[in-house]
Amino acid sequence: MQLTLALLASALTGAVVGSSITRAIAAPLPTHATAAATGAAPRNALASFARAPAQGDLAAYTYPARNGDDNLDRMTQRARRDPAYLRELLRSYSFETELDKRGALLAVLQGVANQDVLQLGRQLADSGDPEQRRNGLELLKSFSLDVPEVRDLLSRQIQDERDPAMLKQLVDMLTPAVIASEDAAPLLDRLGTLRRHADPAVRASSVLQSVQWNKNGNNEDILHQAILDSDLAVRQAAIAGINASGTRSDRLKDALLALASDSQTDAETRNAAVFALQNFAMNRGEYALYRKAAEQVVDGDGHEREYPQR
């Protein structure tokens, strides 16, 4: 079964904000340009906001029975052209505690993705409060890593993070972008360290991201080390990386043949190894091993999977 790279960007398709804002309140959020000019960052993630929205500041949220996408698009378009409306959405997102309502706001703000949204995302992502931090990272997912502020924040947090689950989430956010090699180098260094992390989920994510970020073409060592990892998830990440990068070597071919032929390995991993082997040149002895493995693998329903003759 083919493994494909699943990279981060989460699209929220639940509730959307139903009604418009009744009024705009408080001073504008500081823009990115203003923050950069002053060099000052709020000590508290919500320092840009005088208060939480009062009851009635934001009209009721609804689950639209019809035309949900149209409503979402209209709200996004309004937020792009109406600064006061956008400020209210930003304020409400910062204080909203109900998941559905916050998710609706997130969908609109990700559709706007301007400097004010970037500023709030950075503030929240640097918060000491775990929930606010997660909310800020969700906002930042709408920005490419060719934005230096986003790239630098993620690089710094990856270096400092100690919780494996959060560390994996941060690594998964490293969606590749076209940037200068000097700017990509720190990320590759971080990922190189994380490929040796004690947590297998962190190692697996780091393998996939390393292969995507590495533009030098020397992924063979990365993938060979990963395919020999003791953890199944890391081995599967190596196979996915082989397929995605087109990396070929005798060492990788031998490792794939060993996985495909190992009756102790789970069917999903053996299927993936057999699939990857189809793109390797094999001599007759290797081809015989491949055919034997291909005849033994099964699909999710317990039926033999047919692979093409070579």
PDB file of all heavy atoms in Angstrom, residues 29-30 86 90 106 108-123 136 139-140 142-143:
ATOM      1  N   LEU A  29      -5.155  46.458  16.355  1.00  0.00           N
ATOM      2  CA  LEU A  29      -4.011  45.623  16.677  1.00  0.00           C
ATOM      3  C   LEU A  29      -2.767  46.252  16.096  1.00  0.00           C
ATOM      4  O   LEU A  29      -2.789  46.815  15.005  1.00  0.00           O
ATOM      5  CB  LEU A  29      -4.179  44.229  16.059  1.00  0.00           C
ATOM      6  CG  LEU A  29      -5.135  43.285  16.717  1.00  0.00           C
ATOM      7  CD1 LEU A  29      -5.279  42.044  15.831  1.00  0.00           C
ATOM      8  CD2 LEU A  29      -4.632  42.883  18.075  1.00  0.00           C
ATOM      9  N   PRO A  30      -1.593  46.134  16.761  1.00  0.00           N
ATOM     10  CA  PRO A  30      -0.363  46.591  16.135  1.00  0.00           C
ATOM     11  C   PRO A  30      -0.055  45.714  14.942  1.00  0.00           C
ATOM     12  O   PRO A  30      -0.151  44.506  15.017  1.00  0.00           O
ATOM     13  CB  PRO A  30       0.684  46.399  17.243  1.00  0.00           C
ATOM     14  CG  PRO A  30       0.111  45.367  18.140  1.00  0.00           C
ATOM     15  CD  PRO A  30      -1.374  45.544  18.071  1.00  0.00           C
ATOM     16  N   LEU A  86     -12.322  42.855  11.177  1.00  0.00           N
ATOM     17  CA  LEU A  86     -11.213  41.921  11.408  1.00  0.00           C
ATOM     18  C   LEU A  86     -10.718  42.019  12.840  1.00  0.00           C
ATOM     19  O   LEU A  86     -10.443  40.986  13.483  1.00  0.00           O
ATOM     20  CB  LEU A  86     -10.074  42.222  10.433  1.00  0.00           C
ATOM     21  CG  LEU A  86      -8.805  41.395  10.634  1.00  0.00           C
ATOM     22  CD1 LEU A  86      -9.081  39.897  10.502  1.00  0.00           C
ATOM     23  CD2 LEU A  86      -7.719  41.839   9.649  1.00  0.00           C
ATOM     24  N   LEU A  90     -10.424  38.943  15.534  1.00  0.00           N
ATOM     25  CA  LEU A  90      -9.160  38.616  16.211  1.00  0.00           C
ATOM     26  C   LEU A  90      -9.339  38.617  17.726  1.00  0.00           C
ATOM     27  O   LEU A  90      -8.862  37.723  18.429  1.00  0.00           O
ATOM     28  CB  LEU A  90      -8.074  39.611  15.803  1.00  0.00           C
ATOM     29  CG  LEU A  90      -7.574  39.516  14.358  1.00  0.00           C
ATOM     30  CD1 LEU A  90      -6.772  40.764  14.001  1.00  0.00           C
ATOM     31  CD2 LEU A  90      -6.725  38.265  14.166  1.00  0.00           C
ATOM     32  N   LEU A 106     -11.360  30.626  13.388  1.00  0.00           N
ATOM     33  CA  LEU A 106     -10.088  30.222  12.802  1.00  0.00           C
ATOM     34  C   LEU A 106     -10.203  30.090  11.292  1.00  0.00           C
ATOM     35  O   LEU A 106      -9.313  30.521  10.549  1.00  0.00           O
ATOM     36  CB  LEU A 106      -9.634  28.896  13.417  1.00  0.00           C
ATOM     37  CG  LEU A 106      -8.372  28.264  12.822  1.00  0.00           C
ATOM     38  CD1 LEU A 106      -7.161  29.164  13.060  1.00  0.00           C
ATOM     39  CD2 LEU A 106      -8.133  26.883  13.428  1.00  0.00           C
ATOM     40  N   VAL A 108     -12.118  31.649   9.237  1.00  0.00           N
ATOM     41  CA  VAL A 108     -12.156  32.968   8.605  1.00  0.00           C
ATOM     42  C   VAL A 108     -10.778  33.624   8.641  1.00  0.00           C
ATOM     43  O   VAL A 108     -10.290  34.148   7.639  1.00  0.00           O
ATOM     44  CB  VAL A 108     -13.201  33.868   9.293  1.00  0.00           C
ATOM     45  CG1 VAL A 108     -13.161  35.288   8.710  1.00  0.00           C
ATOM     46  CG2 VAL A 108     -14.596  33.278   9.140  1.00  0.00           C
ATOM     47  N   LEU A 109     -10.124  33.576   9.805  1.00  0.00           N
ATOM     48  CA  LEU A 109      -8.830  34.249   9.956  1.00  0.00           C
ATOM     49  C   LEU A 109      -7.759  33.611   9.087  1.00  0.00           C
ATOM     50  O   LEU A 109      -6.892  34.303   8.541  1.00  0.00           O
ATOM     51  CB  LEU A 109      -8.409  34.235  11.428  1.00  0.00           C
ATOM     52  CG  LEU A 109      -9.313  35.042  12.365  1.00  0.00           C
ATOM     53  CD1 LEU A 109      -8.866  34.867  13.818  1.00  0.00           C
ATOM     54  CD2 LEU A 109      -9.329  36.515  11.977  1.00  0.00           C
ATOM     55  N   GLN A 110      -7.798  32.294   8.940  1.00  0.00           N
ATOM     56  CA  GLN A 110      -6.843  31.647   8.053  1.00  0.00           C
ATOM     57  C   GLN A 110      -7.076  32.055   6.610  1.00  0.00           C
ATOM     58  O   GLN A 110      -6.139  32.089   5.812  1.00  0.00           O
ATOM     59  CB  GLN A 110      -6.930  30.127   8.200  1.00  0.00           C
ATOM     60  CG  GLN A 110      -6.317  29.605   9.492  1.00  0.00           C
ATOM     61  CD  GLN A 110      -6.339  28.092   9.585  1.00  0.00           C
ATOM     62  OE1 GLN A 110      -7.254  27.446   9.076  1.00  0.00           O
ATOM     63  NE2 GLN A 110      -5.349  27.523  10.230  1.00  0.00           N
ATOM     64  N   GLY A 111      -8.328  32.358   6.273  1.00  0.00           N
ATOM     65  CA  GLY A 111      -8.612  32.830   4.929  1.00  0.00           C
ATOM     66  C   GLY A 111      -8.120  34.245   4.687  1.00  0.00           C
ATOM     67  O   GLY A 111      -7.852  34.625   3.550  1.00  0.00           O
ATOM     68  N   VAL A 112      -7.977  35.032   5.747  1.00  0.00           N
ATOM     69  CA  VAL A 112      -7.479  36.406   5.621  1.00  0.00           C
ATOM     70  C   VAL A 112      -5.947  36.415   5.571  1.00  0.00           C
ATOM     71  O   VAL A 112      -5.338  36.954   4.662  1.00  0.00           O
ATOM     72  CB  VAL A 112      -7.986  37.280   6.782  1.00  0.00           C
ATOM     73  CG1 VAL A 112      -7.392  38.678   6.706  1.00  0.00           C
ATOM     74  CG2 VAL A 112      -9.509  37.341   6.772  1.00  0.00           C
ATOM     75  N   ALA A 113      -5.333  35.821   6.591  1.00  0.00           N
ATOM     76  CA  ALA A 113      -3.871  35.617   6.640  1.00  0.00           C
ATOM     77  C   ALA A 113      -3.085  36.869   6.270  1.00  0.00           C
ATOM     78  O   ALA A 113      -2.170  36.821   5.443  1.00  0.00           O
ATOM     79  CB  ALA A 113      -3.481  34.441   5.737  1.00  0.00           C
ATOM     80  N   ASN A 114      -3.395  37.990   6.914  1.00  0.00           N
ATOM     81  CA  ASN A 114      -2.633  39.207   6.662  1.00  0.00           C
ATOM     82  C   ASN A 114      -1.714  39.508   7.846  1.00  0.00           C
ATOM     83  O   ASN A 114      -1.517  38.666   8.729  1.00  0.00           O
ATOM     84  CB  ASN A 114      -3.572  40.374   6.354  1.00  0.00           C
ATOM     85  CG  ASN A 114      -4.432  40.764   7.555  1.00  0.00           C
ATOM     86  OD1 ASN A 114      -4.300  40.206   8.650  1.00  0.00           O
ATOM     87  ND2 ASN A 114      -5.337  41.708   7.344  1.00  0.00           N
ATOM     88  N   GLN A 115      -1.153  40.699   7.879  1.00  0.00           N
ATOM     89  CA  GLN A 115      -0.172  41.029   8.909  1.00  0.00           C
ATOM     90  C   GLN A 115      -0.782  41.033  10.311  1.00  0.00           C
ATOM     91  O   GLN A 115      -0.118  40.654  11.279  1.00  0.00           O
ATOM     92  CB  GLN A 115       0.457  42.393   8.616  1.00  0.00           C
ATOM     93  CG  GLN A 115       1.358  42.412   7.393  1.00  0.00           C
ATOM     94  CD  GLN A 115       2.611  41.571   7.593  1.00  0.00           C
ATOM     95  OE1 GLN A 115       3.070  41.390   8.711  1.00  0.00           O
ATOM     96  NE2 GLN A 115       3.143  41.047   6.512  1.00  0.00           N
ATOM     97  N   ASP A 116      -2.042  41.453  10.430  1.00  0.00           N
ATOM     98  CA  ASP A 116      -2.675  41.445  11.748  1.00  0.00           C
ATOM     99  C   ASP A 116      -2.882  40.021  12.254  1.00  0.00           C
ATOM    100  O   ASP A 116      -2.715  39.736  13.445  1.00  0.00           O
ATOM    101  CB  ASP A 116      -4.019  42.178  11.696  1.00  0.00           C
ATOM    102  CG  ASP A 116      -3.843  43.694  11.609  1.00  0.00           C
ATOM    103  OD1 ASP A 116      -2.846  44.197  12.146  1.00  0.00           O
ATOM    104  OD2 ASP A 116      -4.694  44.351  10.985  1.00  0.00           O
ATOM    105  N   VAL A 117      -3.271  39.122  11.369  1.00  0.00           N
ATOM    106  CA  VAL A 117      -3.419  37.720  11.753  1.00  0.00           C
ATOM    107  C   VAL A 117      -2.054  37.132  12.125  1.00  0.00           C
ATOM    108  O   VAL A 117      -1.929  36.391  13.107  1.00  0.00           O
ATOM    109  CB  VAL A 117      -4.064  36.918  10.603  1.00  0.00           C
ATOM    110  CG1 VAL A 117      -4.139  35.436  10.960  1.00  0.00           C
ATOM    111  CG2 VAL A 117      -5.460  37.457  10.295  1.00  0.00           C
ATOM    112  N   LEU A 118      -1.035  37.473  11.361  1.00  0.00           N
ATOM    113  CA  LEU A 118       0.318  37.011  11.678  1.00  0.00           C
ATOM    114  C   LEU A 118       0.756  37.503  13.046  1.00  0.00           C
ATOM    115  O   LEU A 118       1.330  36.740  13.844  1.00  0.00           O
ATOM    116  CB  LEU A 118       1.285  37.507  10.606  1.00  0.00           C
ATOM    117  CG  LEU A 118       2.782  37.244  10.851  1.00  0.00           C
ATOM    118  CD1 LEU A 118       3.073  35.753  10.919  1.00  0.00           C
ATOM    119  CD2 LEU A 118       3.619  37.911   9.763  1.00  0.00           C
ATOM    120  N   GLN A 119       0.494  38.782  13.332  1.00  0.00           N
ATOM    121  CA  GLN A 119       0.895  39.350  14.619  1.00  0.00           C
ATOM    122  C   GLN A 119       0.231  38.618  15.787  1.00  0.00           C
ATOM    123  O   GLN A 119       0.885  38.258  16.763  1.00  0.00           O
ATOM    124  CB  GLN A 119       0.524  40.842  14.661  1.00  0.00           C
ATOM    125  CG  GLN A 119       0.786  41.533  15.994  1.00  0.00           C
ATOM    126  CD  GLN A 119       2.264  41.718  16.276  1.00  0.00           C
ATOM    127  OE1 GLN A 119       3.102  41.418  15.402  1.00  0.00           O
ATOM    128  NE2 GLN A 119       2.597  42.179  17.464  1.00  0.00           N
ATOM    129  N   LEU A 120      -1.080  38.393  15.682  1.00  0.00           N
ATOM    130  CA  LEU A 120      -1.773  37.686  16.763  1.00  0.00           C
ATOM    131  C   LEU A 120      -1.268  36.252  16.882  1.00  0.00           C
ATOM    132  O   LEU A 120      -1.078  35.744  17.990  1.00  0.00           O
ATOM    133  CB  LEU A 120      -3.281  37.693  16.528  1.00  0.00           C
ATOM    134  CG  LEU A 120      -4.093  36.944  17.594  1.00  0.00           C
ATOM    135  CD1 LEU A 120      -3.914  37.597  18.964  1.00  0.00           C
ATOM    136  CD2 LEU A 120      -5.566  36.877  17.219  1.00  0.00           C
ATOM    137  N   GLY A 121      -1.071  35.587  15.748  1.00  0.00           N
ATOM    138  CA  GLY A 121      -0.567  34.223  15.797  1.00  0.00           C
ATOM    139  C   GLY A 121       0.759  34.133  16.515  1.00  0.00           C
ATOM    140  O   GLY A 121       0.985  33.227  17.325  1.00  0.00           O
ATOM    141  N   ARG A 122       1.659  35.057  16.235  1.00  0.00           N
ATOM    142  CA  ARG A 122       2.972  35.054  16.905  1.00  0.00           C
ATOM    143  C   ARG A 122       2.828  35.309  18.402  1.00  0.00           C
ATOM    144  O   ARG A 122       3.497  34.671  19.216  1.00  0.00           O
ATOM    145  CB  ARG A 122       3.872  36.107  16.274  1.00  0.00           C
ATOM    146  CG  ARG A 122       4.285  35.809  14.835  1.00  0.00           C
ATOM    147  CD  ARG A 122       5.021  36.978  14.224  1.00  0.00           C
ATOM    148  NE  ARG A 122       6.246  37.277  14.966  1.00  0.00           N
ATOM    149  CZ  ARG A 122       6.845  38.464  14.952  1.00  0.00           C
ATOM    150  NH1 ARG A 122       6.307  39.479  14.268  1.00  0.00           N
ATOM    151  NH2 ARG A 122       7.955  38.650  15.629  1.00  0.00           N
ATOM    152  N   GLN A 123       1.964  36.246  18.763  1.00  0.00           N
ATOM    153  CA  GLN A 123       1.758  36.548  20.180  1.00  0.00           C
ATOM    154  C   GLN A 123       1.224  35.326  20.930  1.00  0.00           C
ATOM    155  O   GLN A 123       1.737  34.954  21.988  1.00  0.00           O
ATOM    156  CB  GLN A 123       0.796  37.721  20.338  1.00  0.00           C
ATOM    157  CG  GLN A 123       1.358  39.059  19.883  1.00  0.00           C
ATOM    158  CD  GLN A 123       0.337  40.175  19.996  1.00  0.00           C
ATOM    159  OE1 GLN A 123      -0.668  40.046  20.697  1.00  0.00           O
ATOM    160  NE2 GLN A 123       0.575  41.263  19.304  1.00  0.00           N
ATOM    161  N   GLY A 136      -2.424  29.922  18.697  1.00  0.00           N
ATOM    162  CA  GLY A 136      -1.523  30.727  17.885  1.00  0.00           C
ATOM    163  C   GLY A 136      -0.872  29.918  16.773  1.00  0.00           C
ATOM    164  O   GLY A 136      -0.764  30.386  15.636  1.00  0.00           O
ATOM    165  N   LEU A 139      -3.175  29.486  13.857  1.00  0.00           N
ATOM    166  CA  LEU A 139      -3.198  30.658  12.987  1.00  0.00           C
ATOM    167  C   LEU A 139      -1.982  30.676  12.070  1.00  0.00           C
ATOM    168  O   LEU A 139      -2.088  31.014  10.884  1.00  0.00           O
ATOM    169  CB  LEU A 139      -3.229  31.950  13.816  1.00  0.00           C
ATOM    170  CG  LEU A 139      -4.565  32.396  14.400  1.00  0.00           C
ATOM    171  CD1 LEU A 139      -4.376  33.709  15.148  1.00  0.00           C
ATOM    172  CD2 LEU A 139      -5.625  32.561  13.319  1.00  0.00           C
ATOM    173  N   LEU A 140      -0.828  30.333  12.604  1.00  0.00           N
ATOM    174  CA  LEU A 140       0.404  30.404  11.828  1.00  0.00           C
ATOM    175  C   LEU A 140       0.464  29.361  10.721  1.00  0.00           C
ATOM    176  O   LEU A 140       1.277  29.489   9.791  1.00  0.00           O
ATOM    177  CB  LEU A 140       1.614  30.263  12.752  1.00  0.00           C
ATOM    178  CG  LEU A 140       1.818  31.411  13.747  1.00  0.00           C
ATOM    179  CD1 LEU A 140       3.051  31.166  14.593  1.00  0.00           C
ATOM    180  CD2 LEU A 140       1.912  32.756  13.032  1.00  0.00           C
ATOM    181  N   SER A 142      -1.459  29.051   8.404  1.00  0.00           N
ATOM    182  CA  SER A 142      -1.898  29.654   7.147  1.00  0.00           C
ATOM    183  C   SER A 142      -0.788  30.439   6.459  1.00  0.00           C
ATOM    184  O   SER A 142      -0.999  30.982   5.376  1.00  0.00           O
ATOM    185  CB  SER A 142      -3.108  30.568   7.388  1.00  0.00           C
ATOM    186  OG  SER A 142      -2.805  31.560   8.350  1.00  0.00           O
ATOM    187  N   PHE A 143       0.405  30.475   7.064  1.00  0.00           N
ATOM    188  CA  PHE A 143       1.517  31.222   6.493  1.00  0.00           C
ATOM    189  C   PHE A 143       2.619  30.274   6.045  1.00  0.00           C
ATOM    190  O   PHE A 143       2.937  29.298   6.720  1.00  0.00           O
ATOM    191  CB  PHE A 143       2.088  32.219   7.513  1.00  0.00           C
ATOM    192  CG  PHE A 143       1.118  33.303   7.900  1.00  0.00           C
ATOM    193  CD1 PHE A 143       0.287  33.130   8.994  1.00  0.00           C
ATOM    194  CD2 PHE A 143       1.045  34.472   7.172  1.00  0.00           C
ATOM    195  CE1 PHE A 143      -0.619  34.106   9.354  1.00  0.00           C
ATOM    196  CE2 PHE A 143       0.141  35.469   7.522  1.00  0.00           C
ATOM    197  CZ  PHE A 143      -0.694  35.285   8.612  1.00  0.00           C
TER     198      PHE A 143
END
